[in-house]
Amino acid sequence: MSDFRFDPRKWLLRILSPLDGQLTLIVMAILGFSTVVMVSASPERLDTLALNVGVAFAVMWIAASVPPQRMMTVALPLYVLGVLLLIGVALFGDVSKGARRWLNIGVARIQPSELMKISMPLMLAWYFQSREGLIRARDFLIAIALLLVPVGLIAKQPDLGTALLVAASGFYVLFFAGLTWRLILPVVVVGVVGIGAIVAMGDSLCMPGVEWPGMREYQRHRVCTLLDPTSDPLGKGFHIIQSTIAIGSGGVVGKGWGKGTQTHLDFLPERHTDFIFAVLTEEFGLAGALLLVVLYILLIFRGLFIAAGAPTLFSRLLAGALTLIFFTYAFVNMGMVSGILPVVGVPLPFVSYGGTALVTLCLGVGMLMSIQRHRRRVGT
Amino acid sequence: MKGIRTPEQEVARFRSRLAVAGVVALVCFGLLAARFFYLQVMRFDYYSTRAEDNRISLVPVVPNRGLIMDRNGTVLARNYSAYTLEITPSKVADLEATIEALSALVDIQPKDRKRLKKLMDESKSFESLPIRNRLSDEEVARFIAQRYRFPGVELKARLFRDYPMGRFGSHIVGYIGRINDRDLERIEDSEDTANYRGTDHIGKAGLEKSYERELHGATGFEEVEVDSGGRAVRALRRTPATPGNNLVLTLDLKLQEVVEKAFGNRRGALVAIEPGSGGVLALVSVPTFDPNLFVDGIAPQDWDELNNSPDHPMVNRALNGAYPPGSTFKPFMALAALMSGKRTPAQAISDPGYFDFGGHHFRDDKVGGHGTVDMYRSIVHSCDTYYYRLANDMGIDLIAQTMGEFGFGSKTGIDIEGESSGILPSPEWKKRRFKKPEQQKWFGGETISIGIGQGYNAYTMLQLAHATATVAAGGVMFKPHLVKYIESASDGSRRMIEPQPIKTIPIKPEHIETIRRSMVGVNREGTGARAFAGAPYVSAGKTGTAQVYSLKGAKYSSRITERLRDHALFIAFAPADKPTIALAVLVENGGFGAESAAPIARAVLDYYLLGKLPAGIAPEDPGAEGNSGDGAGE
């Protein structure tokens, strides 16, 4: 008799069981912080924010309930679909803001490069899993080819920012799968030297009329604006100048909630999306910024911990790569808002307003949770 | 190369790499923290002052848009300043109630409300949108006294675009309209976002669109001190805007007006070009429209009227309408025959009134034929049989190649958007045009009707005038252009648009002379003689009547019978020995070219060469700006 009695506590626990307690708490803490900031930056969007969070948590819950073996079965179809859609974009896509990024499928316009952010690590992790125990140099070459096809298609749109993010997500899988340091180090060195050279010779390279091989004019413009924001005070440089002022004038404890002058006198562009970090630091100061950084570090270390304990090669690689994607988003966004990285359209994870990004990120978190939850059931 | 490892080794390596990733993440976040520390602690004083100084806000100063004038200085587009009442929908709690309350102070028509609705659908909620334009002084005063009641509603002094000539030349001048999402994307693509801060109108059609870059000017900015609420208190420093450049056209508006009036209620197009420079003297497409309707967002009712009219006033027939040239094609065919050596001027045929080919009977207009016909007579009397036979002798490839030389079937490159390339028929064209193999084959019989300007032939009046001007200039082809020079509004300096010779077609002078002589004959003793009777100058012309028509994108529904009548065409240049003007004119469903198109050409030449105005048009009043031309005559 008593077995059938409705017990709310038991029922709740069962509902919550797929979710990982620590990850849920960290994500909720960041979302809470985001809501506080959003109340100041853009109160009229709170309704939709609540809706977005609801949908994102539902997606997270579903992803957390799907065992990793099931994810493996969709890795290849999802990748093929993504590449086909990207080819579709290249051939029939809608042009918007000078780039061909959208595919109109009758009912809606979709941006296949978004899908690639999750399906790329999924695909490569699946590939290495399928070659487990036999992985040789040749497999890395195949993996690199699998990576370069969608990255090339996205870069061609042109959407260099997203292409780099997708490339990074694939690279993380290669890295965790054991790509030799002899290949990684030279790339890192060349990158550092190249950036150094651009910074040192920025003035002459940014003279009008100079063309940079392989780069579009607007990409060159972004880099040059980063080097000298004052060169374009009404245009792109305006964003960086104003967000730097917002951060700097926040001081140690900030100007107080709802009291940011940069925010409220309309000096900050895109203050509820890509530049929301500037609002946060203006009103909550260094303390607020460090709190957020600490939350991200907790998130990333929880992710790395889950990766370390993951039972199969697939789940290890996937967990590691997803975690580093969170890191990349957070670092690139904060770096661009504080003026050390060029302005690329990367949202601040769980803080920037935007349904698609939030759902994608929560899908990633859900997959991490699933790996953690199912770690014992799958033996190797 | 790596050796195969045990699973334990694999896991150990994976964990060491996780550790590396963790360290890299920590270092990167450390870097960020250092950056925050630098900005927020070490440079706090500096940035805090900058934020304080940010009471100083940069306000864009919108440049004046350049004027558009014809070659005589008659203004076609100008600006004037007026007050406009604007609403920012996101700042207004109850839009309907606000508008209702406002209508007690200023006159707000249902039309204004509809337009606001339309603008709201097209723009973002934080943009300020006009509810009423051009307020009277009294309305301004009434609103100012009550403005405290209307948060989110603002009175703005703005420059408005005005087209004083109204519907005359409106297809050329085009119009401006509010910047919409599509324009915004284009602006972002061209990295012009900064220059368009504060600008809310952009060229949408005609020269206003094609010369947007010149007309817009460079936005300046003003450093304004703002109070804590963000309202401007006083201006501190000002980088003035550079006004947009003025466009001075090769166009003669008076000529344009003569033509538009000569058309009356008929539909059609005319293009007149200066043969020695490519300067366009008149480019007419009738019916026209009033561009002033578009400036502040066209009212839906006006738009429906323009868009649903069976006369399609929004289509620029001169640039975009492709029509079979009919017999106006014959002089070019004759020239092609001379150039290729397929005919000599004296070579004559005996015309029985028909030409048989492959069991098909191609008839001439004149029953019984024209008798003995040489090249001169073939043009003067517009003999079809001569050209049926010529087309057959030349073959489609040679025809297509030579007509392509004259610019038929390709865009002329005129400095205004919306040009169609027409159709230069050839076996290759047919292969591209049709999907089914049985439709792709070129038939010999199709070549025959090409010879008299029928069949698949379809060209714009611009192309026809362009080719006529090229022949008039002895084979030298100039790129047609509407803008004569661009004038700087600030210092008055001029940038001339030099005539651009595209190429010189190698034609022997005696061949040009044969054609010229024949076309002079048309107006003296042939099909154009009636229209040009008594003209004190020597002109060259050719009539044309086209049996079929294809107006791109247009479907005629009503008045079928009238609209199934032939199109009338005429080409001309004059004075014949030293041409200063060449033209092509088409009257849709006008019947015979000699009857309806040739008199319009006559009116153009009379005005251009003699300064003679047809009755009903006021004479030129030099120096009077905005001369309206609606006067009752002398």
Side-chain angles (χ1 to χ4, degrees):
Chain A
M1 281 288 278
S2 63
D3 285 355
F4 295 109
R5 217 177 37 183
F6 179 69
D7 181 348
R9 248 195 72 196
K10 231 176 179 175
W11 183 78
L12 190 67
L13 280 176
R14 179 170 260 165
I15 290 283
L16 291 179
S17 67
L19 302 181
D20 176 71
Q22 292 187 38
L23 278 178
T24 312
L25 282 179
I26 296 166
V27 169
M28 279 170 70
I30 302 177
L31 278 169
F33 202 178
S34 160
T35 311
V36 169
V37 177
M38 199 66 86
V39 167
S40 169
S42 189
E44 72 274 13
R45 289 191 171 83
L46 285 175
D47 292 353
T48 12
L49 177 68
L51 181 72
N52 288 348
V53 170
V55 172
F57 265 78
V59 168
M60 183 162 93
W61 186 85
I62 294 168
S65 314
V66 175
Q69 300 99 298
R70 183 75 68 75
M71 291 181 204
M72 285 177 61
T73 60
V74 297
L76 182 61
L78 214 57
Y79 173 84
V80 172
L81 177 71
V83 170
L84 285 178
L85 286 176
L86 282 174
I87 292 171
V89 167
L91 296 178
F92 318 107
D94 287 354
V95 179
S96 162
K97 299 187 182 173
R100 204 178 275 280
R101 295 175 191 170
W102 298 89
L103 190 63
N104 202 328
I105 51 165
V107 277
R109 291 210 306 170
I110 55 168
Q111 202 173 356
S113 47
E114 254 337 282
L115 172 70
M116 225 55 212
K117 286 177 184 166
I118 291 288
S119 110
M120 193 72 239
L122 206 55
M123 171 67 195
L124 293 188
W126 171 82
Y127 178 74
F128 283 114
Q129 172 72 67
S130 71
R131 305 280 306 158
E132 194 185 14
L134 308 160
I135 297 171
R136 296 168 185 282
R138 195 175 63 105
D139 294 300
F140 282 97
L141 287 179
I142 291 171
I144 288 171
L146 287 172
L147 174 61
L148 285 183
V149 169
V151 167
L153 285 168
I154 298 171
K156 197 88 193 146
Q157 288 180 353
D159 186 352
L160 201 58
T162 307
L164 284 175
L165 287 174
V166 173
S169 69
F171 170 76
Y172 295 148
V173 179
L174 294 174
F175 171 73
F176 286 127
L179 184 64
T180 170
W181 284 109
R182 275 179 300 180
L183 279 175
I184 300 171
L185 280 178
V187 174
V188 172
V189 169
V190 167
V192 168
V193 169
I195 292 169
I198 290 175
V199 171
M201 307 194 300
D203 285 348
S204 55
L205 285 173
C206 288
M207 298 274 277
V210 180
E211 278 181 30
W212 293 8
M215 270 206 185
R216 307 259 175 158
E217 175 59 26
Y218 82 99
Q219 290 160 348
R220 184 187 84 105
H221 194 69
R222 278 185 185 168
V223 177
C224 290
T225 308
L226 178 76
L227 297 174
D228 181 15
T230 53
S231 67
D232 186 14
L234 275 176
K236 293 255 154 56
F238 182 82
H239 295 202
I240 302 177
I241 296 174
Q242 297 302 341
S243 67
T244 319
I245 294 176
I247 296 173
S249 65
V252 178
V253 293
K255 295 174 186 169
W257 189 26
K259 294 191 181 131
T261 52
Q262 289 289 99
T263 307
H264 292 282
L265 291 181
D266 280 345
F267 286 109
L268 270 183
E270 319 217 354
R271 59 172 186 254
H272 61 284
T273 54
D274 288 0
F275 280 77
I276 195 167
F277 183 68
V279 178
L280 185 151
T281 41
E282 181 181 28
E283 300 193 346
F284 299 98
L286 185 59
L290 292 184
L291 173 62
L292 186 68
V293 168
V294 167
L295 286 172
Y296 282 134
I297 290 177
L298 288 176
L299 176 75
I300 286 154
F301 275 76
R302 178 66 188 157
L304 294 179
F305 175 81
I306 290 174
T312 61
L313 181 58
F314 170 76
S315 51
R316 274 200 295 273
L317 296 180
L318 186 61
L322 288 173
T323 306
L324 286 196
I325 293 171
F326 297 143
F327 157 72
T328 311
Y329 275 50
F331 176 69
V332 170
N333 179 279
M334 291 192 283
M336 113 192 158
V337 175
S338 61
I340 55 174
L341 292 173
V343 178
V344 285
V346 175
L348 189 58
F350 308 107
V351 182
S352 287
Y353 176 85
T356 317
L358 189 59
V359 168
T360 312
L361 288 162
C362 281
L363 179 63
V365 173
M367 291 163 107
L368 275 181
M369 289 176 172
S370 157
I371 291 167
Q372 172 68 358
R373 182 170 172 235
H374 297 91
R375 67 190 182 283
R376 279 190 207 89
R377 297 190 196 163
V378 196
T380 28
Chain B
M1 286 285 102
K2 293 177 286 291
I4 303 296
R5 305 182 183 205
T6 65
E8 289 72 28
Q9 282 173 314
E10 281 286 353
V11 172
R13 188 183 57 188
F14 175 72
R15 291 194 175 149
S16 76
R17 293 225 162 172
L18 279 182
V20 170
V23 170
V24 169
L26 277 182
V27 168
C28 286
F29 280 131
L31 209 68
L32 278 179
R35 173 73 176 168
F36 302 153
F37 185 80
Y38 168 78
L39 292 175
Q40 299 187 295
V41 177
M42 290 163 72
R43 308 280 322 261
F44 171 68
D45 288 338
Y46 169 77
Y47 282 112
S48 162
T49 328
R50 292 268 322 249
E52 273 305 304
D53 284 354
N54 243 346
R55 300 251 162 137
I56 297 166
S57 124
L58 278 182
V59 177
V61 179
V62 179
N64 285 356
R65 199 171 171 86
L67 309 179
I68 302 178
M69 288 168 281
D70 87 335
R71 58 160 57 206
N72 302 316
T74 307
V75 176
L76 295 166
R78 66 182 175 192
N79 311 304
Y80 70 95
S81 175
Y83 281 103
T84 168
L85 202 58
E86 298 195 358
I87 292 188
T88 309
S90 67
K91 289 188 189 162
V92 177
D94 184 348
L95 192 65
E96 279 307 314
T98 308
I99 296 176
E100 211 43 56
L102 276 174
S103 64
L105 302 176
V106 299
D107 181 27
I108 295 174
Q109 298 284 330
K111 197 165 116 177
D112 295 319
R113 290 173 199 241
K114 271 190 208 149
R115 193 186 49 198
L116 182 73
K117 280 254 151 52
K118 192 162 155 253
L119 286 175
M120 279 170 66
D121 294 342
E122 289 166 357
S123 32
K124 299 184 175 74
S125 64
F126 51 80
E127 275 180 70
S128 114
L129 306 168
I131 170 78
R132 239 309 291 288
N133 291 316
R134 303 170 208 199
L135 274 71
S136 70
D137 289 352
E138 206 178 307
E139 287 175 321
V140 169
R142 270 205 299 261
F143 175 75
I144 288 178
Q146 304 264 323
R147 81 187 328 165
Y148 66 91
R149 285 173 50 204
F150 299 104
V153 181
E154 276 177 287
L155 193 63
K156 285 194 183 158
R158 262 195 25 207
L159 280 178
F160 285 88
R161 195 71 160 165
D162 176 43
Y163 302 103
M165 303 313 288
R167 50 184 208 87
F168 289 111
S170 54
H171 281 293
I172 302 166
V173 176
Y175 49 87
I176 62 169
R178 291 185 64 88
I179 294 178
N180 62 24
D181 288 353
R182 283 230 311 278
D183 302 318
L184 217 54
E185 278 172 18
R186 239 193 347 254
I187 291 168
E188 274 170 30
D189 288 349
S190 51
E191 289 290 327
D192 250 357
T193 315
N195 202 23
Y196 277 84
R197 273 169 62 118
T199 303
D200 44 21
H201 284 71
I202 194 166
K204 298 272 187 181
L207 291 170
E208 290 272 33
K209 184 178 185 190
S210 304
Y211 282 87
E212 173 66 28
R213 241 166 220 290
E214 297 289 346
L215 291 165
H216 181 270
T219 300
F221 40 95
E222 196 171 40
E223 289 180 10
V224 180
E225 194 176 321
V226 292
D227 64 16
S228 57
R231 268 182 294 271
V233 179
R234 69 190 162 108
L236 300 175
R237 210 152 55 96
R238 198 182 155 97
T239 311
T242 312
N245 294 324
N246 297 335
L247 301 183
V248 179
L249 310 184
T250 56
L251 198 77
D252 184 335
L253 193 81
K254 208 74 200 169
L255 181 63
Q256 184 90 8
E257 200 186 323
V258 165
V259 177
E260 289 185 18
K261 292 223 160 127
F263 266 98
N265 290 327
R266 293 173 293 180
R267 288 157 283 113
L270 179 145
V271 178
I273 298 179
E274 201 172 52
S277 72
V280 175
L281 300 167
L283 192 146
V284 175
S285 168
V286 282
T288 61
F289 58 91
D290 182 359
N292 290 305
L293 293 175
F294 288 87
V295 174
D296 286 291
I298 185 160
Q301 188 193 339
D302 292 334
W303 176 243
D304 288 346
E305 222 165 89
L306 283 174
N307 222 20
N308 298 333
S309 160
D311 290 339
H312 296 279
M314 299 304 294
V315 174
N316 189 338
R317 291 171 160 79
L319 290 184
N320 196 17
Y323 303 84
S327 300
T328 59
F329 206 49
K330 288 174 183 165
F332 302 101
M333 282 294 294
L335 194 51
L338 293 173
M339 285 163 71
S340 61
K342 292 280 179 195
R343 289 285 186 280
T344 64
Q347 212 170 329
I349 64 157
S350 171
D351 171 21
Y354 60 86
F355 176 71
D356 281 325
F357 180 86
H360 201 94
H361 198 64
F362 291 88
R363 241 193 299 271
D364 195 293
D365 276 347
K366 191 170 174 184
V367 183
H370 294 272
T372 306
V373 178
D374 62 358
M375 188 171 278
Y376 176 83
R377 281 175 51 81
S378 79
I379 291 177
V380 169
H381 298 295
S382 202
C383 170
D384 286 347
T385 315
Y386 185 93
Y387 290 96
Y388 291 142
R389 195 172 287 182
L390 174 59
N392 190 37
D393 290 352
M394 283 181 73
I396 186 62
D397 291 323
L398 185 57
I399 296 175
Q401 187 215 321
T402 322
M403 292 304 163
E405 280 282 296
F406 287 108
F408 288 110
S410 47
K411 296 186 180 177
T412 63
I414 191 172
D415 51 346
I416 184 170
E417 286 183 29
E419 195 186 347
S420 146
S421 34
I423 295 165
L424 176 67
S426 68
E428 289 74 45
W429 167 80
K430 216 176 167 193
K431 222 168 261 166
R432 268 182 282 120
R433 169 68 179 73
F434 294 103
K435 294 261 146 53
K436 294 185 191 146
E438 65 268 26
Q439 289 175 317
Q440 288 181 327
K441 191 180 181 309
W442 185 268
F443 298 101
E446 290 173 327
T447 309
I448 310 301
S449 40
I450 296 297
I452 60 159
Q454 305 285 1
Y456 293 116
N457 276 314
Y459 309 113
T460 66
M461 283 309 107
L462 177 64
Q463 283 169 344
L464 199 53
H466 182 52
T468 309
T470 304
V471 171
V476 189
M477 181 182 273
F478 288 91
K479 191 161 149 183
H481 58 97
L482 280 158
V483 175
K484 192 174 175 193
Y485 57 87
I486 296 167
E487 184 184 57
S488 157
S490 38
D491 61 9
S493 63
R494 292 173 176 188
R495 187 146 39 91
M496 299 301 294
I497 306 293
E498 299 297 337
Q500 273 184 56
I502 300 174
K503 62 178 173 194
T504 303
I505 305 172
I507 316 176
K508 290 195 180 109
E510 63 264 30
H511 291 163
I512 291 270
E513 189 47 41
T514 305
I515 302 302
R516 189 197 317 265
R517 205 165 47 78
S518 311
M519 287 176 70
V520 167
V522 169
N523 283 1
R524 185 178 289 145
E525 50 170 317
T527 48
R530 214 160 48 172
F532 280 87
Y537 47 84
V538 181
S539 62
K542 181 73 196 79
T543 52
T545 307
Q547 282 162 352
V548 280
Y549 61 91
S550 82
L551 185 59
K552 218 172 148 190
K555 279 200 188 82
Y556 291 134
S557 49
S558 62
R559 294 200 271 165
I560 292 293
T561 41
E562 190 226 309
R563 281 163 199 259
L564 285 179
R565 278 163 59 182
D566 296 342
H567 293 328
L569 291 102
F570 199 78
I571 58 170
F573 60 86
D577 53 338
K578 221 175 171 338
T580 56
I581 180 170
L583 65 86
V585 52
L586 167 118
V587 182
E588 275 187 19
N589 315 115
F592 285 114
E595 281 163 24
S596 50
I600 297 177
R602 171 81 195 261
V604 168
L605 297 185
D606 278 1
Y607 169 73
Y608 192 70
L609 300 174
L610 311 172
K612 203 169 119 191
L613 283 168
I617 294 183
E620 191 82 36
D621 187 3
E625 236 184 35
N627 177 1
S628 84
D630 281 336
E634 286 150 278

